[in-house]
């Protein structure tokens, strides 16, 4: 089968097409003929930085990057009872770990997949796997969102952010989204009740009583987010577990909880995301699609940090 391999971290020129063996199945796995994959910021960081590549994959080289897939089940392991050959599925495969998604066929634990809703395209399903799972786990599992909560979402037009706005609204929250001015209408169209232009406005002046902040940016944004949360509220931060002493001290003084979260492949999460897609409570926004042969261009697009929604590859 055709796959994209990476022998060492670096530029997009290091992404190489190769013919490799189709994966052999474990008892709990299914083989998916891949229709679409999506590119996440972690894909780009693992490709670009040796430290990230080693953190995720250890010493293994070459590696096949990628975690988000959608496609059709063409083979099942002996222990699989939840999927039959011919069904359409999607999910985030083996995160944190080796998903090997940039390939024509992917072996996935069946518990990392859900049935693709009929009202959802392969592209939309692939776009929803990691980003929507991250938003869901951050808001539901960690922050324990409930009806009436005031939720501030940073980077509300991005991959995780645009799903987070919709999930928060589904749970009955009042949602404030930050983005640049040009994405204001998009953020409001997702259901946000209020928009803050992070370039010209100070969000901490606009919001001081948030119950939940979802921080997709860190740095100064995380520091000032403490001012935007009520005492006893929570900030869920995503980019890195390394939180500065200044932020920790400021949060302790105000009695604000800060939780770092890294998404994990879970049956409960991907099933919940599938249900939200089916109910049309979640509508993925696809920024651009690329053919498999142009995966390097897709990485460069994500690297701009100007993506609205998600970048998807068709295989």
């Amino acid at each position: 089968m055709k796959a994209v391999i990476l022998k060492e971290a670096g530029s997009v020129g290091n992404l190489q097409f190769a013919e490799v063996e189709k994966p052999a199945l474990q008892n709990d796995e299914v083989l998916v003929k891949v229709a679409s994959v999506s590119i996440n910021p972690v894909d780009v960081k693992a490709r670009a930085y040796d430290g990230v590549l080693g953190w995720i994959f250890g010493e293994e080289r070459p590696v096949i990057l990628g975690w988000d897939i959608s496609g059709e089940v063409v083979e099942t392991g002996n222990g699989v009872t939840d999927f039959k050959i011919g069904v359409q599925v999607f999910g985030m495969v083996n995160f944190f770990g080796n998903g090997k998604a940039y390939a024509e066929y992917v072996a996935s634990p069946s518990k990392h997949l859900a049935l693709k809703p009929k009202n959802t395209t392969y592209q939309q399903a692939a776009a929803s796997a990691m980003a929507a799972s991250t938003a869901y786990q951050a808001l539901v599992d960690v922050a324990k969102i409930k009806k009436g909560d005031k939720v501030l979402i940073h980077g509300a037009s991005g991959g995780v952010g645009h799903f987070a706005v919709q999930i928060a609204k589904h749970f009955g929250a009042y949602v404030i989204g930050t983005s640049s001015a040009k994405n204001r209408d998009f953020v409001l169209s997702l259901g946000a009740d209020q928009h803050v232009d992070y370039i010209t406005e100070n969000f901490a002046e606009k919001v001081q009583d948030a119950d939940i902040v979802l921080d997709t940016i860190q740095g100064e944004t995380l520091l000032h987010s403490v001012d935007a949360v009520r005492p006893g509220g929570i900030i869920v931060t995503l980019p890195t577990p390394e939180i500065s002493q200044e932020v920790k001290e400021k949060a302790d003084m105000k009695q604000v909880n800060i939780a770092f979260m890294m998404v994990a492949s879970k049956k409960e999460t991907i099933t919940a995301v599938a249900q939200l897609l089916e109910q049309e409570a979640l509508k993925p926004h696809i920024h651009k699609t690329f053919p498999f042969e142009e995966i390097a261009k897709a990485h460069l697009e994500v690297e701009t940090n100007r993506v609205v929604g998600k970048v998807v590859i068709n295989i």
Side-chain angles (χ1 to χ4, degrees):
M1 67 170 186
K2 188 186 291 184
V4 173
I5 64 170
L6 183 71
K7 293 179 181 175
E8 61 180 351
S11 73
V12 292
N14 288 14
L15 296 168
Q16 299 175 358
F17 282 90
E19 287 293 327
V20 302
E21 292 292 318
K22 269 190 201 175
L25 290 185
Q26 305 291 323
N27 272 347
D28 66 340
E29 291 181 330
V30 299
L31 188 67
V32 179
K33 186 178 191 301
V34 179
S36 296
V37 302
S38 85
I39 311 295
N40 293 289
V42 69
D43 300 41
V44 170
K45 289 172 184 171
R47 186 266 303 156
Y49 302 111
D50 195 54
V52 180
L53 189 64
W55 175 53
I56 298 173
F57 295 95
E59 298 297 315
E60 181 184 344
R61 301 290 185 278
V63 300
I64 298 173
L65 294 176
W67 292 272
D68 284 355
I69 66 166
S70 63
E72 182 180 325
V73 173
V74 293
E75 191 181 334
T76 61
N78 293 333
V80 174
T81 56
D82 44 355
F83 296 117
K84 294 178 179 174
I85 290 170
V87 298
Q88 298 176 348
V89 294
F90 77 108
M92 177 180 70
V93 181
N94 286 328
F95 196 84
F96 181 79
N98 198 342
K100 301 183 179 180
Y102 294 0
E104 291 180 304
Y105 293 88
V106 171
S108 171
S110 66
K111 65 183 179 182
H112 294 173
L113 302 173
L115 290 172
K116 180 182 77 64
K118 288 185 171 62
N119 64 345
T120 305
T121 65
Y122 279 129
Q123 292 82 8
Q124 290 171 324
S128 303
M130 183 180 284
S133 292
T134 302
Y136 189 91
Q137 288 179 9
L139 292 171
V140 179
D141 299 350
V142 179
K144 311 293 185 192
I145 191 171
K146 63 188 185 301
K147 187 174 181 178
D149 278 347
K150 182 176 278 192
V151 181
L152 174 62
I153 296 166
H154 292 303
S157 60
V160 171
H162 92 289
F163 284 119
V165 171
Q166 296 174 76
I167 291 168
K169 285 306 294 180
H170 175 74
F171 279 88
Y174 180 90
V175 179
I176 306 117
T178 72
S179 77
S180 63
K182 69 183 174 67
N183 293 324
R184 175 184 180 276
D185 289 347
F186 172 67
V187 171
L188 293 174
S189 77
L190 299 169
D193 299 283
Q194 191 178 336
H195 176 268
V196 178
D197 173 5
Y198 75 92
I199 295 170
T200 63
E201 298 178 288
N202 180 348
F203 66 83
E205 288 178 359
K206 301 261 182 179
V207 187
Q208 285 98 33
D209 59 347
D211 299 286
I212 299 167
V213 173
L214 182 60
D215 167 38
T216 62
I217 297 162
Q218 269 188 356
E220 290 290 306
T221 299
L222 177 56
L223 179 65
H224 296 310
S225 289
V226 179
D227 297 321
V229 189
R230 64 166 176 81
I234 186 170
I235 302 170
V236 185
T237 186
L238 303 176
T240 169
E242 294 167 8
I243 296 162
S244 74
Q245 196 59 36
E246 184 184 7
V247 170
K248 287 177 184 174
E249 288 172 3
K250 188 175 181 181
D252 286 346
M253 204 182 309
K254 197 179 175 185
Q255 296 181 301
V256 167
N257 302 301
I258 299 183
F260 166 72
M261 191 210 82
M262 184 164 65
V263 69
S265 298
K266 290 180 187 174
K267 185 74 171 177
E268 302 82 4
T269 307
I270 201 65
T271 301
V273 168
Q275 289 169 348
L276 291 172
L277 288 167
E278 194 165 27
Q279 296 163 16
E280 297 188 354
L282 272 190
K283 294 181 180 176
H285 181 80
I286 296 174
H287 177 76
K288 280 187 183 177
T289 59
F290 294 87
F292 198 21
E293 295 71 28
E294 294 183 4
I295 199 162
K297 287 185 181 177
H299 267 241
L300 291 172
E301 189 69 36
V302 173
E303 230 165 16
T304 65
N305 291 321
R306 292 290 178 265
V307 171
V308 176
K310 293 286 297 172
V311 169
V312 173
I313 300 288
N314 292 322
I315 295 186

